[in-house]
Structure formats: C-alpha cells, structure tokens
Amino acid sequence: MTKTTKNFIYGLLAFIIVAAVYFTKPQVTDPDPAYGVELQKSDAISTETVAAIDDYLETESEHVEVIMAVLDGKSIYEYGDTTRIMNGASTRKAVLSLLYGIAIDQGLIDLDKTLAELNIDENTPLTEPEKTATIRDLLMARSGIYLPAEGEHDAQITDRPARGSHLPGEFFFSNNFDYNALGTIFIQETGQPIGQFMQKYLAEPLGMQDFDADNVVMGDPWFMPNNGSQHEMYYMYTSARDFARIGAMVANNGMWDGKQVVPAAWIELSTSPLSALTNSGRYTASGYIWWIDENTNTVWTDGYGGHYMLIDPARNLTVVMRTFSGNSYLSTGLWLASSDRNAAHPKYMVHAYEMMIAELDARG
C-alpha cells in the first residue's frame, strides 16, 4: 500500500469519525439540575387498572412511546421512558403563555402594548393596521398578520387568510407569526432569554428534573430552509415527567408544593374559552395559546409528532403523551424522513385517561 493510499484511508476514517460525532451529537443533553426533585408516586388507581392500560397501549396503540398521568401532584401512571428529553414542537406555545403570566405579574410586560409601541416589525414590513395588534391579540392568535413564519405546518400555509382580510382582534387563526413574535417580544420586554427565565421561574419552583436553560433552543437547529422571517422559533425540550409536572401545576390553579408559581388569575384567564372554534376536531375553543374542549371541560396543548397534554382541572389530573422526534441531526433527519412521523394519535391517551377516571370517579 502506497503512502498516498494510506493517507487517503486515514483521512477518510477521520472524516467519518468527525461526521459521526457531528450528526449524532444531541442538540440538548441530559441535565441533572441541583433543584430537581423526585416526583412522588401514588396508588390512586389500582394495579388492575394499570395493567389494563399497559395491555391496551401494548396491543392497540401505534407510535406512542410515553404516557404519564399526575393526580394531585403525584404520579399515578407511567408508560415508557418518562425521563427521555424530547422536542415538544407546538407545546412550546402553551408553556410560553405560562411564562407570560409570570412576567406580567412581575410588571415586565403590558398586554395592551401594540407592535408599533414595541417596535416589532418583519422582513416583509408590517402595515400600519397590522402594527396596531397588541400582545393580547397575539396571545389569542388574532393579530390579523398573515405572513410566512418559521415552523409552519401545512394547514397554516394552505389556510392562511389573505393579507389585510382581517383587522387585529377580529379573527382567530392559529398563526406561527403570532406565536414566534411572542417569543421575540418576551425576550425584548423581560431582558432575559426564554430558557433562562423558564429555568428560574418555572423549572426551579417545580423541581423539574431534566431541564435547564439550555433546553430552550432559539432558531431552527436543523437543515431547514429559512423563509425570511426575523422572528425565530423557540424549541423546548422536556421529559415527560417534567412536562406532566407543568400540567399538574396548571391543573392546581398555578400552585405547586404550596407555592403559587403562576398567578391563579392568569391560569383562569389563559385557559378560558376566549375564541370559539368551528371544524377544529376535538377542540371547541382557544384561550391564550391553550386549546379547550368544553364538552369534557379539559384543557389541551399539542405538538406535531405526537406530543399532547390533557389537563382536567376538576379532577386535578394531567395526562401527557410523547413520541420521540429527534435530538440530533441524524435522529431528527430520520424522523423527518419517516412517512408516519405524525401518526401517534391522541385517542390512545384519551382512552387511557378514560380508564383512569372511570376508576377514580367510581371511588368518589
């Protein structure tokens, strides 16, 4: 073997090793924060019901990796690896709503400030009517601004109203411009990155076990085309046990471990049916970036790829469902290439929830 051939082989091996490290390196590593507190467990549902739910999920569900339930602040059911960190996709929006409630309580944000007053614009300049939209309008997805935004799913593109067809405050449309601009505004008005604020005022009070400020990633970390918006997405990576803990706090009117983490008035307002919905499947209304099912008196957030949270305030019960959608260039690329990447249906979580409440309600 010649020296040139050897050098080529060594160079190729070095390239393969570097590429393997680069493409498999996690976007978010597993933190072990000092403030993490083990979630207490409860036997509120019987071993028979637990076994029945396990059997149902094993035999009937597809693509569901994790389901977890928390009742009165204690874990009552766990299926799958509840410690695995996952990108929650659009569930980020409801969490940001909670952070807004905290920041407003601290006097950092005024809901009635307009985009003009906030100096918020877009690469495609906003019109004067569009600039009259307030933070409150954005939280209600009523900005009246219909421009391309980062992280849109198909319906947000195909169903987007014509620009100028609705004034701010008039019309509900689940619009990533609103949600992403809320991230920009939050950072601007609080003077803190979303991850840092979330760690200090949400993760630490809740004793979240798998979260620190680096779990929130600003801007798309993958090979995705930029569509020309200046408002970045904020990716939130959480484990199921931490995600369920957030929902359990909401179910308990913003209280956790005897402390008011999010103002009760904000929980009530943000999860109220502020916008009536039609033809929206399981949801009948929307609050401040929360979905509402008035038929079952439950509050929801959901994210593309199989990320759901169902909150039942009357029972102080939260159920979450998670499906891994990647945490590296390689794993995310494989997930994006999969034809069934959004196939984990919430009906499996709902059925598990119904089995739980059947026993809980029977006990009184």
Side-chain angles (χ1 to χ4, degrees), residues 184-205:
T184 302
I185 293 167
F186 187 89
I187 295 168
Q188 173 182 298
E189 295 300 283
T190 65
Q192 299 176 56
I194 295 172
Q196 179 181 312
F197 191 96
M198 183 172 171
Q199 176 182 317
K200 184 174 182 180
Y201 296 109
L202 196 62
E204 291 185 20

Side-chain angles (χ1 to χ4, degrees), residues 152-162 173-174:
E152 295 181 307
H153 57 70
D154 292 345
Q156 289 177 315
I157 298 171
T158 59
D159 298 346
R160 182 162 39 229
F173 178 68
S174 184

Side-chain angles (χ1 to χ4, degrees), residues 90 93-94 141 153 172-174 179 270-272 275 277 280 282-294 298-303 309 311:
S90 285
K93 301 164 186 175
H153 57 70
F172 173 89
F173 178 68
S174 184
Y179 307 138
S270 63
T271 61
S272 294
S275 298
L277 306 181
S280 295
R282 71 187 66 89
Y283 310 124
T284 62
S286 173
Y288 285 165
I289 336 184
W290 288 97
W291 301 108
I292 320 288
D293 180 356
E294 296 165 288
T298 54
V299 179
W300 292 65
T301 181
D302 71 45
M309 176 191 288
I311 300 171

Side-chain angles (χ1 to χ4, degrees), residues 235-247:
Y235 289 73
M236 290 183 183
Y237 289 77
T238 59
S239 63
R241 62 183 179 179
D242 282 347
F243 191 48
R245 198 181 302 238
I246 292 171

Side-chain angles (χ1 to χ4, degrees), residues 131-329:
K131 289 181 181 180
T132 67
T134 64
I135 296 174
R136 192 186 305 274
D137 291 330
L138 270 62
L139 282 166
M140 296 176 69
R142 293 186 185 183
S143 72
I145 300 170
Y146 307 125
L147 293 171
E150 298 297 331
E152 295 181 307
H153 57 70
D154 292 345
Q156 289 177 315
I157 298 171
T158 59
D159 298 346
R160 182 162 39 229
R163 194 175 183 195
S165 57
H166 301 284
L167 290 173
E170 286 186 345
F171 182 76
F172 173 89
F173 178 68
S174 184
N175 184 4
N176 266 21
F177 173 87
D178 294 17
Y179 307 138
N180 295 347
L182 283 168
T184 302
I185 293 167
F186 187 89
I187 295 168
Q188 173 182 298
E189 295 300 283
T190 65
Q192 299 176 56
I194 295 172
Q196 179 181 312
F197 191 96
M198 183 172 171
Q199 176 182 317
K200 184 174 182 180
Y201 296 109
L202 196 62
E204 291 185 20
L206 294 181
M208 289 168 64
Q209 295 172 263
D210 311 299
F211 185 93
D212 63 25
D214 292 335
N215 284 48
V216 177
V217 179
M218 294 301 299
D220 201 315
W222 318 118
F223 294 121
M224 300 291 283
N226 187 306
N227 63 9
S229 175
Q230 63 180 244
H231 302 293
E232 295 182 316
M233 282 185 64
Y234 38 94
Y235 289 73
M236 290 183 183
Y237 289 77
T238 59
S239 63
R241 62 183 179 179
D242 282 347
F243 191 48
R245 198 181 302 238
I246 292 171
M249 178 269 297
V250 174
N252 197 37
N253 297 312
M255 293 279 292
W256 184 261
D257 195 24
K259 298 177 183 177
Q260 196 73 45
V261 179
V262 180
W266 182 260
I267 297 294
E268 182 179 2
L269 174 62
S270 63
T271 61
S272 294
L274 304 177
S275 298
L277 306 181
T278 57
N279 302 319
S280 295
R282 71 187 66 89
Y283 310 124
T284 62
S286 173
Y288 285 165
I289 336 184
W290 288 97
W291 301 108
I292 320 288
D293 180 356
E294 296 165 288
N295 297 315
T296 59
N297 295 315
T298 54
V299 179
W300 292 65
T301 181
D302 71 45
Y304 188 84
H307 302 277
Y308 295 91
M309 176 191 288
L310 180 163
I311 300 171
D312 183 340
R315 296 182 176 89
N316 201 359
L317 173 65
T318 296
V319 186
V320 303
M321 183 176 113
R322 306 300 298 272
T323 300
F324 187 65
S325 51
N327 187 18
S328 69
Y329 283 117

